[in-house]
Amino acid sequence: MKKTIIKGAIVILVFFTALFVISGIMNKGNTDMTAEMADATLPVISVNYGGHEINKMFGYREAMETSQMRESITPLASGRKINLVINPYQNRINEIAYELRSVDGSRLIENTEIREFEQAEDKIEVSFGLKDLIESNREYLLVVVLTLENGEEIRYYTRVIYPEEYYVIDKLDYIVDFSTRTFDKEAAKELTKYLESNSEGDNTNFGRVTIHSSFNQVTWGDLEVTRESRPEITIKDIGPQTGNFVMQYYVSMPYGGEIHYYRVKEYYRVRYTADRMYLLDYERTMDQVFDQKGDAYANNKIMLGITSEETEIVESDGGNVIAFITGNRLFSYNVADNKLAFLFGFYDGNHSDERALYDGHRIKILNLDEGGNVTFLVFGYMNRGRHEGQVGISVFFYDSTVNTVEELVYIPCEQAQELLIEEVDQLSYINKNGMLYLKWKNQFYAINVINRSCEVIVKNLDEESYKVSESNKMVVWQKDGNGYGSRELVLMNLTTGNRKSIQAEVNEVIAPIGFMGEDLIYGIARKSDIVEDYAGNTIFPMYCVRIENETEGILMEYQQEDIYISSGEVTGNQIILKRLKKEGDTYKETLDDQIMNAESIEDNKNAVEIAAVDKYEKLTQISLKNNIDAATIKYLTPKEVLFEGGRSITLTDAEGRLENYYVYGKYGIEACYTDVGTAVKTADRISGVVVGEDGGYIWRKGNRKLRNQIMAIQGEELSEERSSLAVCLDTLMAYEGVVRNSEYMLEKGDSVLTILEEGLEGAQILDLTGCSLDAVLYYVDREIPVLVMMQDGSAVLLIGFNEKNTVVMNPESGTVYKVGMNDSTEWFEKNGNHFITYIRSQE
């Protein structure tokens, strides 16, 4: 798959065009008017729960959409009380009030002003009880509103729950004790019973330690670490048995005659029992705070130290300039001029200012030219500066000639920063003409950063209807319909803005699979081969897979007789194809196949390396093409260009867009899907939760009772007039008080999903095909039956479980009986784990 490499005069022309465009942008402002980024100003609120200071909240200047404001959950104390600790940070606070709302924000339950509080310079403590208007064990949203002296209202968000017996103090005490013991090897011996040390643990990197790591790794090996800050605890999820917690703090450590500082984050998932506490999952990350003016250079290396994530690095075409992100801060280094510039970062070296340390944002390098000019993106919560307390996207330009950073465009957002980060991470690219391309709310946007205009390129994207290349330079989408009905793909080169149409033949449809480099992989299926199963799920067997280049056309075609491709996954330099074999009118899974990419990847002149260094284990460093003269290196801290007026643009909202399902994991949102089954499978794998658009739970890991059975459902036998599937559907709907003739509806061609959607008005029907038995027992635990469909067209209802068995209602025998858990798992897996269930509107 050889690509055409354009060099010479065209590259020179593009380079100078880019300089001209950017210069035009810069000349619009007055670069003599500059200043340093303003310090953070807003107050911070935390919760005192039984002596533990938890759930730090940062202020928002705008009212946010509430359904996904899920950074923390605060358990209420006895009497529905909550104790707040406010650090005003030199602000005079005139009023304190709070709103209690339903999780989706639509229902205001309480709106109360706290009339009496004592203003102090460094701390205001406020305690109040919520009114008797809430249910126990049900989540709500609390919005605390501080009115500052200038009349501005600042909002703070946390979910709240009034638990019956959640043993929150026991869980908090446990994680604090666990963390403290890791700093003392003798005291830490008590922790061995909680660890699951095995071969899954990586004992060569302090950057990421897990429950599977060795005792020595968990207790910091031979590192001489000292805790430098009080741990900050955030409760991410809480239930009667389990709880998910994140703890953050700083440590210091001597290294080569200097003291280095590290940001540490710990994740705990624990389960409480009357006998003891269980550690279900544990992870600790450690990231060095890069000190650009310290002893961080040796030969041709920039030493970043211990890190938990891959370091993002971009180099100019000639390799003379690099830009890199470490610790959520952006730097550039000019190899030829021996200059290192700190381009952007809310953290300014002050470990005590929690506002600057908050990591609710991301930075992405969009473009770097040979002159050292950098275009970059900052998106998420803005800790300080011009947009402090807002959520949005800022496009910045660093001009190396005058050493300034200028904001070109700001895009405000009313959704939680986690949602913004998740989607913008999927696509964000700027070309030489100042066109910025973003994905947001299932739409592709094209934004002109020069005249600050925007347009929607394509709407209503689901995860299968579009693909983006790793570089973000190429995107593809189905033109005339998502899923399985499209006859045309649109391949767009975001560098040039050119589009290419790829069409299927008559009576055929086409779907994107992914990219290998910048080459598109797609599949073609005959309409006559596409079938639906009993549940209404579409089987999309592609008889042909092609790899096509924008300019060179079709590079490769994969096609075998009687073999069909159900899906493909690009992994490294190969495409793994999931295959089906047609037997009569049905498709059966067969062995995977793969397509290899023999094209070599061009080596960069500067690259990130991992070095093994004695007791410090793996250290991250950047290897440059030339040696660094540490004695003469020049350090730059650019100032921000001031300008009059605003440079904001608002993105148009999608109308009738697809519903999203949000998967939350250890530290926050992990993924966003339009397919609920994919979301549940992902959450099950990472021990997370799935949340719908309204903020309500679709699925949660853990907190399931040991046994439960829906006693209201009794055995009912099939007959000549009613199939087992119809019996199951009728029984399920009768359980919800609905009478339907499902056999009639099946005979006239209605799918199972259609029958349930029409019958269970107000409920959300969930197709969980491919999910595990263990996952769908979540619904049975909540008194919701699960329909299990078999490959022969029959069905049973899953209505109970205990530690060793499931309970099913089988119309074949007309009885309710137990099936061993292992036997159930095997039975359902052989039939494709074809589960369908629902959640009620109030769930």
Side-chain angles (χ1 to χ4, degrees):
M1 289 171 284
K2 190 71 177 174
K3 299 188 184 76
T4 302
I5 302 174
I6 303 175
K7 295 185 176 179
I10 296 178
V11 171
I12 295 172
L13 176 61
V14 170
F15 173 72
F16 281 107
T17 300
L19 288 181
F20 175 78
V21 170
I22 298 298
S23 296
I25 297 172
M26 295 299 299
N27 288 335
K28 290 177 180 286
N30 183 353
T31 57
D32 292 330
M33 298 289 290
T34 61
E36 295 181 355
M37 185 192 301
D39 292 335
T41 63
L42 299 182
V44 174
I45 300 178
S46 57
V47 177
N48 185 327
Y49 189 86
H52 294 279
E53 191 168 323
I54 63 170
N55 293 354
K56 193 153 286 182
M57 292 173 269
F58 297 91
Y60 293 81
R61 282 197 150 99
E62 307 293 337
M64 306 296 291
E65 288 188 8
T66 62
S67 61
Q68 302 300 323
M69 299 298 287
R70 296 181 53 85
E71 191 154 27
S72 66
I73 181 166
T74 299
L76 301 174
S78 177
R80 300 175 300 282
K81 286 187 177 179
I82 185 170
N83 302 305
L84 300 181
V85 180
I86 303 171
N87 186 338
Y89 281 102
Q90 288 79 52
N91 285 283
R92 179 75 184 176
I93 296 175
N94 286 352
E95 295 179 9
I96 302 176
Y98 66 87
E99 300 171 359
L100 185 68
R101 293 184 172 273
S102 57
V103 169
D104 65 359
S106 63
R107 186 164 60 98
L108 179 62
I109 300 166
E110 184 179 351
N111 187 0
T112 303
E113 181 183 346
I114 300 172
R115 299 188 179 279
E116 295 184 4
F117 61 91
E118 186 174 340
Q119 179 88 40
E121 185 175 340
D122 61 344
K123 185 167 64 173
I124 301 172
E125 295 188 73
V126 176
S127 179
F128 56 89
L130 301 180
K131 294 177 182 178
D132 188 14
L133 301 171
I134 61 176
E135 300 175 29
S136 298
N137 303 332
R138 188 177 184 87
E139 292 185 13
Y140 299 87
L141 186 77
L142 179 68
V143 185
V144 180
V145 183
L146 303 184
T147 303
L148 305 184
E149 191 172 19
N150 61 4
E152 185 178 15
E153 292 184 344
I154 310 298
R155 288 170 168 79
Y156 301 78
Y157 297 84
T158 182
R159 290 171 292 144
V160 295
I161 189 168
Y162 188 37
E164 289 178 344
E165 290 189 34
Y166 280 18
Y167 308 100
V168 180
I169 293 295
D170 300 81
K171 295 168 185 175
L172 288 170
D173 288 344
Y174 172 81
I175 67 168
V176 170
D177 179 70
F178 187 104
S179 180
T180 302
R181 287 179 184 270
T182 63
F183 291 89
D184 183 335
K185 288 190 185 294
E186 186 62 32
K189 291 179 180 179
E190 174 69 18
L191 305 181
T192 55
K193 65 183 179 183
Y194 302 113
L195 299 177
E196 300 174 11
S197 303
N198 56 35
S199 59
E200 293 183 38
D202 179 5
N203 296 313
T204 66
N205 183 14
F206 286 111
R208 190 173 300 274
V209 175
T210 72
I211 193 173
H212 301 297
S213 300
S214 67
F215 171 81
N216 187 59
Q217 199 77 1
V218 172
T219 55
W220 306 92
D222 295 325
L223 300 182
E224 302 169 49
V225 292
T226 301
R227 183 177 268 168
E228 294 288 345
S229 65
R230 185 173 64 180
E232 296 178 1
I233 299 172
T234 302
I235 304 178
K236 308 298 286 187
D237 193 28
I238 195 72
Q241 291 89 36
T242 64
N244 296 12
F245 305 85
V246 172
M247 180 186 295
Q248 300 182 72
Y249 54 91
Y250 276 82
V251 298
S252 64
M253 182 174 65
Y255 183 91
E258 292 185 336
I259 298 296
H260 289 174
Y261 291 89
Y262 302 81
R263 185 171 191 172
V264 178
K265 185 180 292 188
E266 295 181 351
Y267 169 79
Y268 295 85
R269 179 172 170 80
V270 302
R271 184 173 71 228
Y272 173 90
T273 69
D275 299 325
R276 56 164 286 188
M277 197 76 73
Y278 289 88
L279 184 63
L280 302 179
D281 197 7
Y282 172 74
E283 181 178 82
R284 185 180 70 215
T285 59
M286 181 180 185
D287 289 276
Q288 183 172 326
V289 178
F290 177 61
D291 181 5
Q292 68 270 29
K293 296 184 179 180
D295 187 15
Y297 314 96
N299 300 321
N300 69 327
K301 313 293 186 188
I302 299 177
M303 295 176 289
L304 305 180
I306 297 172
T307 61
S308 63
E309 303 284 351
E310 292 185 9
T311 300
E312 181 183 348
I313 179 174
V314 174
E315 67 176 6
S316 61
D317 292 339
N320 289 318
V321 185
I322 65 166
F324 61 95
I325 298 170
T326 182
N328 225 2
R329 296 189 296 161
L330 173 62
F331 298 85
S332 72
Y333 177 69
N334 190 310
V335 178
D337 296 340
N338 199 27
K339 293 179 180 179
L340 188 136
F342 170 40
L343 303 188
F344 191 92
F346 291 124
Y347 169 71
D348 58 358
N350 182 0
H351 298 306
S352 63
D353 192 339
E354 56 212 344
R355 299 165 299 179
L357 296 171
Y358 178 54
D359 61 352
H361 65 281
R362 296 294 180 270
I363 303 172
K364 183 174 182 180
I365 304 164
L366 295 177
N367 185 55
L368 171 64
D369 64 31
E370 199 66 22
N373 303 309
V374 185
T375 308
F376 60 95
L377 211 62
V378 179
F379 51 107
Y381 179 87
M382 303 297 174
N383 303 38
R384 61 191 183 100
R386 182 181 289 114
H387 305 293
E388 181 188 0
Q390 297 178 2
V391 174
I393 306 168
S394 282
V395 183
F396 287 101
F397 176 74
Y398 169 64
D399 188 333
S400 65
T401 305
V402 292
N403 192 36
T404 59
V405 170
E406 181 173 4
E407 183 181 71
L408 306 179
V409 164
Y410 178 70
I411 304 167
C413 172
E414 294 180 351
Q415 286 74 31
Q417 58 264 24
E418 289 185 308
L419 271 63
L420 181 67
I421 291 170
E422 168 63 24
E423 286 216 66
V424 173
D425 261 345
Q426 295 176 32
L427 173 64
S428 44
Y429 182 82
I430 195 168
N431 65 23
K432 306 290 185 180
N433 298 318
M435 291 300 298
L436 172 69
Y437 297 92
L438 296 174
K439 177 176 178 284
W440 176 231
K441 290 189 174 181
N442 297 334
Q443 299 190 133
F444 284 160
Y445 290 91
I447 300 161
N448 189 316
V449 301
I450 300 173
N451 62 25
R452 298 181 195 79
S453 62
C454 76
E455 65 171 319
V456 177
I457 297 177
V458 60
K459 302 178 180 179
N460 293 330
L461 296 164
D462 66 40
E463 55 264 24
E464 299 303 325
S465 68
Y466 77 96
K467 300 294 175 183
V468 180
S469 68
E470 185 176 359
S471 69
N472 283 202
K473 292 179 181 178
M474 305 292 294
V475 297
V476 65
W477 64 88
Q478 293 174 314
K479 181 179 180 181
D480 49 1
N482 294 339
Y484 311 113
S486 179
R487 286 196 57 236
E488 182 179 357
L489 296 180
V490 178
L491 177 65
M492 184 172 182
N493 184 328
L494 302 186
T495 301
T496 62
N498 294 336
R499 304 186 188 190
K500 177 180 181 179
S501 172
I502 302 173
Q503 297 186 6
E505 299 294 332
V506 177
N507 295 321
E508 292 184 346
V509 289
I510 189 169
I513 293 175
F515 284 90
M516 184 170 283
E518 311 304 333
D519 299 328
L520 172 65
I521 309 161
Y522 63 91
I524 303 172
R526 304 180 188 94
K527 288 184 177 180
S528 59
D529 290 332
I530 301 172
V531 296
E532 283 191 354
D533 59 24
Y534 275 96
N537 293 297
T538 302
I539 299 174
F540 188 73
M542 297 173 280
Y543 76 88
C544 174
V545 169
R546 290 175 181 165
I547 302 175
E548 184 163 336
N549 183 275
E550 178 195 15
T551 57
E552 299 174 30
I554 298 172
L555 305 174
M556 185 178 182
E557 184 171 282
Y558 179 96
Q559 187 173 345
Q560 295 184 5
E561 188 174 355
D562 294 328
I563 294 293
Y564 298 84
I565 310 302
S566 60
S567 64
E569 181 182 359
V570 181
T571 305
N573 66 338
Q574 66 178 354
I575 312 164
I576 300 174
L577 301 176
K578 297 288 184 183
R579 306 193 304 165
L580 304 171
K581 188 174 179 63
K582 192 170 186 179
E583 298 179 2
D585 294 330
T586 63
Y587 296 92
K588 303 289 186 182
E589 291 185 0
T590 187
L591 296 175
D592 295 349
D593 201 356
Q594 52 254 339
I595 302 173
M596 301 297 294
N597 178 14
E599 183 179 355
S600 61
I601 300 174
E602 184 178 349
D603 292 333
N604 291 333
K605 301 174 180 65
N606 309 279
V608 176
E609 296 179 345
I610 303 297
V613 182
D614 299 331
K615 67 179 184 180
Y616 302 101
E617 298 181 350
K618 290 181 179 178
L619 299 181
T620 302
Q621 57 190 25
I622 300 174
S623 178
L624 303 172
K625 69 174 190 176
N626 295 336
N627 283 349
I628 301 171
D629 185 352
T632 62
I633 190 170
K634 187 174 182 180
Y635 304 103
L636 303 175
T637 303
K639 292 188 176 182
E640 190 173 346
V641 174
L642 302 177
F643 52 83
E644 294 182 358
R647 295 184 175 181
S648 297
I649 62 171
T650 302
L651 301 184
T652 55
D653 250 347
E655 294 182 4
R657 67 188 183 93
L658 300 171
E659 179 169 6
N660 284 326
Y661 299 94
Y662 303 101
V663 179
Y664 288 84
K666 288 185 174 73
Y667 306 110
I669 196 167
E670 292 281 346
C672 171
Y673 300 103
T674 55
D675 177 66
V676 65
T678 304
V680 170
K681 282 183 280 188
T682 301
D684 190 20
R685 177 174 51 81
I686 65 172
S687 297
V689 303
V690 180
V691 175
E693 291 273 10
D694 63 357
Y697 286 107
I698 302 294
W699 185 89
R700 297 176 75 179
K701 184 78 167 182
N703 290 313
R704 193 173 72 210
K705 295 185 288 290
L706 294 178
R707 59 184 58 84
N708 190 51
Q709 183 173 339
I710 304 172
M711 302 305 295
I713 295 180
Q714 302 296 314
E716 191 166 347
E717 193 171 3
L718 57 75
S719 64
E720 291 184 3
E721 291 77 25
R722 283 201 309 168
S723 66
S724 66
L725 177 57
V727 170
C728 286
L729 287 169
D730 288 346
T731 303
L732 185 151
M733 287 189 284
Y735 171 68
E736 293 291 346
V738 177
V739 177
R740 287 288 187 275
N741 185 345
S742 298
E743 185 65 42
Y744 169 76
M745 300 177 76
L746 288 169
E747 286 179 355
K748 73 183 184 74
D750 288 349
S751 71
V752 171
L753 294 177
T754 300
I755 293 170
L756 290 175
E757 285 167 355
E758 293 179 357
L760 300 180
E761 188 176 349
Q764 185 172 358
I765 311 304
L766 307 175
D767 181 357
L768 302 180
T769 298
C771 295
S772 67
L773 169 60
D774 184 71
V776 300
L777 289 179
Y778 165 81
Y779 300 96
V780 183
D781 183 58
R782 299 179 69 84
E783 301 286 322
I784 299 174
V786 176
L787 176 68
V788 188
M789 299 179 61
M790 308 301 170
Q791 289 186 346
D792 63 2
S794 64
V796 299
L797 282 181
L798 181 61
I799 62 171
F801 64 90
N802 59 31
E803 294 173 279
K804 296 182 179 179
N805 304 286
T806 63
V807 181
V808 299
M809 193 284 282
N810 191 341
E812 297 282 349
S813 62
T815 59
V816 172
Y817 60 89
K818 293 179 180 178
V819 183
M821 191 66 73
N822 291 335
D823 292 337
S824 300
T825 300
E826 183 180 357
W827 181 22
F828 298 151
E829 283 180 351
K830 282 183 177 179
N831 285 276
N833 276 353
H834 212 131
F835 303 117
I836 296 177
T837 188
Y838 58 96
I839 55 172
R840 306 179 183 98
S841 57
Q842 70 268 21
E843 287 294 332

